[in-house]
Amino acid sequence: MSPIRIVVKRREKLPRRLKILYTIIAILVSFLIAAPIVAALGIDPILFYKYLIVGSFAPYSFPLTIMNLIPVSLCCISAIISFRAGLWNIGQDGQYIIGAIFLLWIASIIPNVPPPLSYLLVIILGGLAGGAWCLICGVLRAYTEANEAVTTLMMLYVASSILNYLCYGPWRSSVGFPETFPLPQNYQLPNIGPVTSALIALAVLTFLAWLMIERTRLGLEMSILAEGTRVIDYVGLRYRRLICIVMFLSGFYAGIAGALYLSYAAKFLEPGFIAYYGFSGIIAAWLCELRVEYSILSSLLLAALYSSSYTMQATLNIPSYMTDALEGLLLICILLVHFFTRYRIEIRLINARSKGDRK
Amino acid sequence: MIALELRGIVKKFPHTTALDKVDFDLRYGEVHALLGENGAGKTTLVNVISGVYSIDEGEIYLDGKRVLISSPRDAQKMGIVSVSQHPILVESLTVLENLALALERNPRDRKFRNEIRKVIERFGMRVDLSKKVWQLSASEKARVEILKALLRDGKIYIFDEPTSLVGLKDRDMILRIMRQLKESGKAVLFITHKVDEVFEIADRVTVLRKGKKIFTKKVSEVSKRELLEAMFGRYFEDSERKCSDNTLRSQEREIVLIVEKLYVKDDSNRLKVRDLSFNVREGEIVGIIGPADSGQRELLEAIARVRNIESGKIIMFGKDITRLRSSDVRKLGVAYIPDDRLSIGSALSLTVRENLIMRDLDIFTTKLGFYKYDDKHLRNILTLVGLRDDIVDVPCADLSGGMIQRVILARELLNREIKLIIASYPTQGLDHETTKLIHDMFISLRDKGCSIVFTSEDIDEVLKLSDRIMVMVDGKVIYEANKQDVDVSELREMLA
């Protein structure tokens, strides 16, 4: 018998202050691990860290960070809604594309809707399309038990193909590049100072999501859904309908992300419109422990990574893959912290023979 | 000769100390009973011995040598074999395949099959090796679990409340197996909370209470009263309990529940309730008893509307509820206490507060779906079932089984006016305190005009509580009588 034993034990619940502290440490550690990788690319790590911050929070780069924050944050809420209910919608990027496509289509049919109303339409059209796209997977899950993690991801590729088809085919603009005609002027959200007014929409939508999850019956029903079918029957919930509602709402937020981004930033569609904000949103969702009230903070970090990757690519010639790697490191560190705040590992030294002679 | 010795064992959990400096020893050639009510630490002690839990303090000696049992596999290698209370079997495989899987043998190996046959003969068991596990009843599954243990050549056998989920015949078989093991020189540890079984089988008995050892004594030198006192800390008046007489005038009362020609299937699509009809009157307690797994659970699940009905009709307060769902029935004033507290009765990852409101969302939310519950009410009903009110923010997963049952009681009985209680084995596996609480609540609600239908495996409990008794065998009611007309010895015979 070996004298060393490694034991994993459950911890008592940690106070929130410590949890936040540990999360910050995880973020810093993931940045530290990145240093040798950056050095291996022949870049001074100090410069890398400098641009990591300057590239996202300096006066000239901060609007870019905000621009990225909105889609990341909405995709983060989309992930939180489905994950809280034990459903795994990981196709936010697909719903994001469909939301933008649908907005562009309807807006091109009715381009003259007056501004305050047209801004509302941006959100509603994007949400409905994204929700409907995700609802397909919800219905498949509810009625045929098809795994929603697989179907939502697959539907992402379908959405991406539709985007490519439209950009190269029927919606191609006369300019010649594979890009579509622009979104009508009335539908383009204006800036307030240096930042976009879509930020207000984000604040309102975040508050509504928080209200729904923490303060309403639907929020509780979602958590019960995550507990399994027998509890659901006991409480008397309509299981299939609930799955569909959750998937619709989850897609709704991701769809809004796409429509908003088209409206205040992209203005037209191109194959590169898909920026994988959805995957960043999923990381952000784990970073804030599926709590909507912290979702903007965690999304801000991910959004900052996006904008610093632009800056670094331009100034330091660091490939944007470096920030992808950093995102991955971040996720690993966060999951590790989640583990260690719930469990602790004890290493024990034991001398098995010391008292063996006693009867 | 001492087989196993524990010294000063301490095991802590986030909210409790489950074992507090427990000393214990087990000898070869004896049946040693470990007695205590729920939450006393019996199962924790078993888990320590069988390597499921690591200990915080203390020493374990096996055959006089200090050992560290760090996993169930470790325990098995040392010859410690445990029979789990809840059989762990793969439903889609046959009995033989399950045995082969557990023992890491080849099911086609003739030698292996011969070994099994020998063990079955030696202990006089009835097991069909070719049946798939999902086709087996609870008693049959328990038999397979025991067979699995007997096939391992151990020195120490641990039986964790083996008699709690099986019928009477199987109970006798299990006690006989323990005796046979003892006679062949093995050490047998028998965990139970039934005092009578201790006298029936054990040589020595150790009593645990709230994580502490009270004493270890020879069974021949201890009285029943002494054991009960040790378990509960004061004299506990057992059996011959009185209950108020309610059966008079019962014919004049209104019928609140009519079950008509009911057919119900279980999860594996077998017909469990066949052509069953009965009525329940206002202010009446109907106790249903019968051999384990005769369809009692499925019957109650169907009435509570958590299980589909194949055919037949259920009428409650004059309303046909055959096609309604449980939330609709709940609004009529029906409480349902399921037998599976952990996976049906409560949402473990949610807080106590959320568990308390989840069945009455129509009361605790506005039309738009916003919460409007009053924390004072929730704290109040927790106090009424004897829980501390500051646990409202604790996840149910952190509570013990008895505490969870109290949370369920608070929710089901105290949130709204209750006119009918459907309770599936409400006291099974619970300590005396919680059992008494449940009995008291039932009787006081009955006296206020509430009707109760419950199932139990404890004939004394059924006789004590019920105004009317029904015996259910194989999905049918074979006997029904008012309490004063029941011939107890006839009833016992029916259940044997």
Side-chain angles (χ1 to χ4, degrees):
Chain A
M1 199 183 305
S2 88
I4 295 175
R5 291 280 153 160
I6 297 171
V7 188
V8 178
K9 298 182 82 180
R10 218 177 125 189
R11 263 183 209 275
E12 298 205 25
K13 220 177 152 189
L14 280 180
R16 178 161 298 174
R17 265 178 298 127
L18 271 182
K19 259 191 186 169
I20 293 172
L21 180 70
Y22 288 156
T23 308
I24 292 171
I25 291 174
I27 294 167
L28 294 179
V29 166
S30 66
F31 287 0
L32 273 181
I33 299 173
I37 306 174
V38 175
L41 287 171
I43 298 151
D44 182 5
I46 302 294
L47 212 56
F48 172 75
Y49 290 128
K50 189 187 148 199
Y51 274 93
L52 208 54
I53 294 163
V54 174
S56 48
F57 291 105
Y60 67 88
S61 55
F62 191 63
L64 188 64
T65 304
I66 294 297
M67 191 184 94
N68 290 316
L69 167 70
I70 292 161
V72 170
S73 201
L74 289 169
C75 288
C76 170
I77 294 172
S78 163
I80 291 174
I81 291 172
S82 79
F83 294 178
R84 276 279 191 118
L87 292 168
W88 306 105
N89 172 19
I90 53 171
Q92 276 82 8
D93 286 304
Q95 296 132 30
Y96 169 89
I97 292 172
I98 295 298
I101 289 177
F102 189 66
L103 169 66
L104 187 60
W105 181 44
I106 299 296
S108 69
I109 297 171
I110 42 168
N112 293 324
V113 179
L117 187 63
S118 62
Y119 300 156
L120 201 62
L121 270 182
V122 168
I123 290 171
I124 293 171
L125 292 175
L128 286 179
W133 192 252
C134 190
L135 183 61
I136 297 172
C137 307
V139 170
L140 287 173
R141 167 63 205 269
Y143 294 92
T144 70
E145 305 265 300
N147 184 309
E148 75 285 354
V150 175
T151 54
T152 50
L153 191 63
M154 290 317 203
M155 291 289 272
L156 155 59
Y157 296 109
V158 175
S160 166
S161 302
I162 294 175
L163 175 69
N164 282 340
Y165 166 72
L166 291 174
C167 293
Y168 283 101
W171 285 7
R172 190 166 184 162
S173 69
S174 48
V175 187
F177 295 111
E179 57 184 47
T180 66
F181 49 85
L183 187 71
Q185 194 68 42
N186 282 2
Y187 288 87
Q188 296 187 8
L189 259 71
N191 276 11
I192 303 171
V195 293
T196 165
S197 55
L199 209 51
I200 300 168
L202 174 65
V204 173
L205 287 165
T206 305
F207 176 70
L208 288 178
W210 174 82
L211 208 60
M212 180 191 82
I213 290 177
E214 301 294 338
R215 288 287 179 272
T216 70
R217 172 181 189 148
L218 183 62
L220 181 58
E221 289 182 349
M222 277 166 50
S223 322
I224 296 170
L225 185 63
E227 293 274 314
T229 53
R230 304 185 77 188
V231 185
I232 294 164
D233 282 342
Y234 179 41
V235 177
L237 302 177
R238 289 168 204 272
Y239 166 69
R240 296 195 167 97
R241 199 180 70 168
L242 194 54
I243 289 180
C244 292
I245 292 175
V246 169
M247 290 297 273
F248 177 82
L249 284 173
S250 177
F252 191 84
Y253 270 83
I256 294 176
L260 273 180
Y261 193 75
L262 175 70
S263 157
Y264 72 81
K267 317 288 188 195
F268 57 83
L269 292 176
E270 53 172 330
F273 181 74
I274 173 167
Y276 298 102
Y277 288 121
F279 290 147
S280 301
I282 290 170
I283 297 176
W286 288 122
L287 185 61
C288 66
E289 289 210 299
L290 304 186
R291 301 193 76 96
V292 180
E293 59 267 40
Y294 300 123
S295 67
I296 291 194
L297 274 181
S298 64
S299 304
L300 187 64
L301 181 73
L302 271 300
L305 282 181
Y306 265 94
S307 46
S308 38
S309 90
Y310 288 127
T311 323
M312 282 193 276
Q313 206 164 6
T315 54
L316 293 181
N317 207 14
I318 296 180
S320 63
Y321 301 119
M322 191 51 228
T323 38
D324 290 347
L326 196 53
E327 266 188 35
L329 282 173
L330 192 59
L331 182 64
I332 292 169
C333 290
I334 290 158
L335 292 179
L336 278 175
V337 161
H338 280 203
F339 177 79
F340 283 110
T341 49
R342 285 187 180 83
Y343 303 94
R344 78 188 153 192
I345 290 189
E346 283 179 9
I347 298 173
R348 298 176 184 181
L349 291 166
I350 282 171
N351 192 344
R353 257 181 248 149
S354 64
K355 290 174 186 169
D357 49 339
R358 265 211 299 161
K359 179 84 208 291
Chain B
M1 191 190 157
I2 292 177
L4 181 77
E5 191 183 353
L6 308 184
R7 283 186 206 151
I9 300 293
V10 175
K11 174 70 194 170
K12 287 180 184 147
F13 288 115
H15 294 279
T16 48
T17 301
L19 293 174
D20 191 1
K21 298 205 177 111
V22 172
D23 298 322
F24 173 78
D25 69 284
L26 179 65
R27 297 176 193 155
Y28 289 117
E30 76 164 349
V31 173
H32 192 139
L34 189 60
L35 185 70
E37 59 174 349
N38 261 66
K42 296 175 306 222
T43 303
T44 311
L45 190 71
V46 170
N47 282 334
V48 163
I49 297 173
S50 53
V52 177
Y53 291 154
S54 58
I55 50 178
D56 294 308
E57 276 173 45
E59 294 151 18
I60 302 175
Y61 297 86
L62 187 69
D63 296 328
K65 261 189 240 137
R66 179 158 182 204
V67 292
L68 187 85
I69 310 168
S70 59
S71 69
R73 196 171 265 273
D74 255 17
Q76 265 164 31
K77 273 190 211 143
M78 296 175 196
I80 300 171
V81 177
S82 49
V83 181
S84 164
Q85 195 176 352
H86 303 282
I88 303 154
L89 301 165
V90 183
E91 296 273 324
S92 57
L93 297 184
T94 63
V95 172
L96 178 65
E97 284 163 342
N98 264 287
L99 293 173
L101 193 66
L103 296 154
E104 294 175 37
R105 300 288 294 268
N106 182 349
R108 277 185 220 86
D109 182 357
R110 190 163 298 147
K111 232 172 84 192
F112 179 53
R113 281 187 288 186
N114 280 336
E115 279 169 41
I116 298 175
R117 227 157 266 140
K118 260 187 216 154
V119 172
I120 291 180
E121 266 169 42
R122 185 175 153 215
F123 292 99
M125 301 169 82
R126 277 179 300 119
V127 179
D128 183 348
L129 292 179
S130 60
K131 262 196 183 173
K132 302 253 185 200
V133 167
W134 62 264
Q135 298 173 306
L136 303 181
S137 71
S139 293
E140 287 174 306
K141 281 183 195 168
R143 268 180 243 160
V144 176
E145 186 66 26
I146 291 168
L147 181 57
K148 205 159 90 182
L150 294 175
L151 280 165
R152 295 184 203 280
D153 193 25
K155 299 187 279 194
I156 296 169
Y157 288 82
I158 304 170
F159 289 80
D160 188 1
E161 308 216 5
T163 57
S164 66
L165 295 174
V166 300
L168 289 170
K169 272 184 198 155
D170 279 276
R171 195 194 80 106
D172 291 344
M173 180 199 74
I174 291 166
L175 296 187
R176 198 182 63 235
I177 287 173
M178 281 196 271
R179 207 167 288 132
Q180 266 176 286
L181 285 170
K182 165 188 132 178
E183 278 158 11
S184 63
K186 312 283 187 189
V188 179
L189 177 58
F190 172 42
I191 287 82
T192 183
H193 60 265
K194 293 176 186 163
V195 177
D196 292 335
E197 285 180 352
V198 172
F199 288 101
E200 212 169 320
I201 178 85
D203 301 300
R204 287 195 303 157
V205 55
T206 293
V207 183
L208 288 180
R209 184 170 82 223
K210 291 182 178 153
K212 289 196 169 114
K213 176 175 138 177
I214 305 302
F215 59 63
T216 299
K217 283 190 176 171
K218 280 191 177 162
V219 171
S220 53
E221 291 166 5
V222 73
S223 72
K224 188 171 175 180
R225 183 174 163 156
E226 225 176 315
L227 284 182
L228 285 169
E229 265 178 18
M231 275 171 84
F232 305 112
R234 63 184 181 283
Y235 180 61
F236 183 83
E237 196 180 324
D238 192 50
S239 68
E240 310 312 326
R241 292 158 286 198
K242 270 193 215 155
C243 90
S244 61
D245 193 41
N246 188 53
T247 45
L248 305 168
R249 298 181 298 113
S250 71
Q251 295 308 312
E252 301 149 28
R253 297 191 183 206
E254 241 176 277
I255 292 176
V256 294
L257 175 71
I258 304 169
V259 173
E260 239 178 65
K261 297 199 159 102
L262 200 67
Y263 287 81
V264 183
K265 283 183 176 172
D266 68 1
D267 290 337
S268 34
N269 222 18
R270 287 171 300 168
L271 207 54
K272 289 314 272 283
V273 177
R274 306 153 201 263
D275 195 25
L276 190 139
S277 306
F278 72 101
N279 293 340
V280 178
R281 286 174 186 277
E282 186 189 344
E284 175 183 50
I285 301 182
V286 176
I288 301 174
I289 192 163
D293 203 26
S294 307
Q296 301 99 316
R297 170 180 299 122
E298 287 77 12
L299 170 66
L300 295 197
E301 284 177 348
I303 299 174
R305 299 305 309 116
V306 298
R307 179 174 290 284
N308 281 336
I309 291 166
E310 295 304 312
S311 73
K313 220 186 211 180
I314 301 175
I315 293 165
M316 209 178 260
F317 314 117
K319 194 176 170 186
D320 185 349
I321 61 144
T322 317
R323 297 275 162 251
L324 297 185
R325 58 179 59 241
S326 68
S327 47
D328 304 321
V329 176
R330 174 73 177 159
K331 283 179 204 153
L332 298 174
V334 175
Y336 172 48
I337 299 165
D339 49 286
D340 190 338
R341 305 187 257 279
L342 302 185
S343 68
I344 305 176
S346 56
L348 290 180
S349 65
L350 304 189
T351 61
V352 170
R353 178 186 287 111
E354 289 166 323
N355 271 278
L356 284 175
I357 68 171
M358 72 177 187
R359 281 259 289 163
D360 298 291
L361 291 174
D362 57 319
I363 296 180
F364 293 123
T365 56
T366 62
K367 277 216 178 74
L368 280 171
F370 289 101
Y371 290 151
K372 60 160 183 186
Y373 58 83
D374 182 3
D375 244 25
K376 240 196 224 156
H377 163 78
L378 300 184
R379 285 170 189 273
N380 186 26
I381 61 175
L382 283 178
T383 332
L384 286 175
V385 293
L387 290 173
R388 288 206 329 257
D389 67 353
D390 57 356
I391 63 164
V392 280
D393 289 314
V394 174
C396 263
D398 286 0
L399 305 182
S400 73
M403 285 165 92
I404 287 177
Q405 185 74 333
R406 283 167 191 251
V407 171
I408 293 172
L409 282 175
R411 174 185 67 215
E412 293 300 313
L413 304 182
L414 301 172
N415 271 344
R416 57 164 89 218
E417 195 201 336
I418 294 301
K419 291 192 276 185
L420 174 66
I421 301 171
I422 298 158
S424 187
Y425 305 99
T427 60
Q428 186 173 59
L430 288 179
D431 54 281
H432 267 272
E433 298 267 332
T434 315
T435 303
K436 189 169 179 307
L437 175 82
I438 292 172
H439 289 176
D440 290 348
M441 285 178 97
F442 278 11
I443 285 173
S444 84
L445 278 164
R446 189 271 316 270
D447 290 343
K448 284 180 198 151
C450 178
S451 313
I452 299 169
V453 184
F454 79 103
T455 56
S456 172
E457 298 208 316
D458 180 351
I459 191 166
D460 294 323
E461 181 180 39
V462 171
L463 285 169
K464 180 199 161 197
L465 282 180
S466 319
D467 302 312
R468 196 144 52 90
I469 290 162
M470 290 185 352
V471 177
M472 198 168 160
V473 174
D474 208 16
K476 289 179 185 146
V477 173
I478 59 158
Y479 175 88
E480 189 180 344
N482 284 335
K483 182 176 165 173
Q484 66 267 35
D485 306 328
V486 169
D487 179 347
V488 178
S489 57
E490 191 190 346
L491 193 62
R492 280 188 200 279
E493 245 167 61
M494 241 180 283
L495 296 171

